[in-house]
Amino acid sequence: QKEVEQNSGPLSVPEGAIASLNCTYSDRGSQSFFWYRQYSGKSPELIMFIYSNGDKEDGRFTAQLNKASQYVSLLIRDSQPSDSATYLCAVYTGGFKTIFGAGTRLFVKA
Amino acid sequence: GAVVSQHPSWVICKSGTSVKIECRSLDFQATTMFWYRQFPKQSLMLMATSNEGSKATYEQGVEKDKFLINHASLTLSTLTVTSAHPEDSSFYICSARDGQGVETQYFGPGTRLLVL
């Protein structure tokens, strides 16, 4: 069974700190990796995707992928209270499905 | 980025009635669309995957006769909750995949269903 694992949290960080969210996946053939943010009562919105080993930066967000370790992470620099949400890791393994993790709840304290 | 719309955003209905929810990809063609359900404080639960012009593939435990899915075109999928009951009250979210490159999935804003 293909799986995507995330720590459910909550992860609590002070405003201005770096929040580090982690995700592991089981299928070595996974091709693309996504991070979504979901505010309470809203649908998920795409933050960024990554498909090559290494880092990818977009503003305050950096996605890191290590295919050898089957590990993908999201760093949020200068965390703001508005970043408080549930962050979903998703993995496209080919075929029709993208597998979603259960999400990590992040709280940024003002 | 790509935009997915859902209609209606809110629906309240009486027990026993049927409700149709529309999902549209506005600026791209979606070869594959997905329907999710999410209860309060719980994770997304995939209900079914639909491909344009073919029958939907339902996840285990999801009743296909109760949740009818039609993917009539590359930009439109519909979910009909037949004979809705209070336990069907939930947040229904569709998503569409662009079929390009990294296979990004874009979510609609969701439809909140309340069955009285």
Side-chain angles (χ1 to χ4, degrees):
Chain A
Q1 175 127 0
K2 300 174 182 177
E3 293 181 348
V4 175
E5 300 284 345
Q6 294 182 256
N7 187 319
S8 63
L11 172 65
S12 184
V13 300
E15 184 175 0
I18 296 176
S20 177
L21 303 161
N22 305 314
C23 172
T24 59
Y25 59 95
S26 61
D27 187 351
R28 284 195 172 275
S30 298
Q31 301 172 20
S32 312
F33 307 84
F34 307 85
W35 283 100
Y36 291 84
R37 176 176 62 199
Q38 185 176 23
Y39 290 113
S40 181
K42 302 293 186 182
S43 67
E45 56 178 321
L46 180 69
I47 297 175
M48 62 193 305
F49 65 84
I50 187 169
Y51 55 87
S52 298
N53 272 328
D55 295 358
K56 180 181 179 183
E57 187 174 317
D58 184 358
R60 295 187 296 112
F61 299 97
T62 299
Q64 299 176 316
L65 175 61
N66 184 325
K67 288 187 177 181
S69 300
Q70 295 176 242
Y71 177 91
V72 58
S73 65
L74 179 70
L75 301 179
I76 307 175
R77 287 182 300 283
D78 187 25
S79 296
Q80 301 297 309
S82 59
D83 295 325
S84 298
T86 297
Y87 289 81
L88 305 173
C89 171
V91 176
Y92 175 66
T93 60
F96 294 123
K97 275 191 189 175
T98 297
I99 310 298
F100 282 78
T104 298
R105 286 179 295 149
L106 172 67
F107 289 113
V108 181
K109 298 175 292 184
Chain B
V3 179
V4 176
S5 70
Q6 259 183 267
H7 178 80
S9 55
W10 262 102
V11 60
I12 302 173
C13 69
K14 292 183 179 180
S15 185
T17 60
S18 293
V19 174
K20 180 184 280 189
I21 303 170
E22 286 190 354
C23 176
R24 294 182 184 271
S25 56
L26 298 186
D27 51 2
F28 67 100
Q29 293 187 328
T31 52
T32 307
M33 286 185 165
F34 306 85
W35 287 95
Y36 294 83
R37 182 166 55 179
Q38 188 172 38
F39 294 106
K41 299 190 185 301
Q42 294 190 21
S43 304
L44 287 175
M45 188 194 82
L46 179 65
M47 299 175 68
T49 301
S50 75
N51 292 287
E52 185 263 341
S54 62
K55 289 184 179 180
T57 301
Y58 291 82
E59 295 299 300
Q60 193 171 9
V62 178
E63 301 173 60
K64 60 181 179 182
D65 294 331
K66 180 169 185 62
F67 299 100
L68 302 178
I69 292 171
N70 187 331
H71 193 157
S73 74
L74 286 172
T75 59
L76 173 65
S77 177
T78 60
L79 168 69
T80 301
V81 183
T82 62
S83 187
H85 291 286
E87 58 266 29
D88 299 322
S89 299
S90 188
F91 189 38
Y92 292 87
I93 311 171
C94 76
S95 70
R97 202 161 69 195
D98 62 5
Q100 303 292 323
V102 296
E103 301 285 346
T104 305
Q105 216 169 299
Y106 299 95
F107 285 85
T111 296
R112 207 162 292 280
L113 170 64
L114 177 61
V115 184
L116 302 176

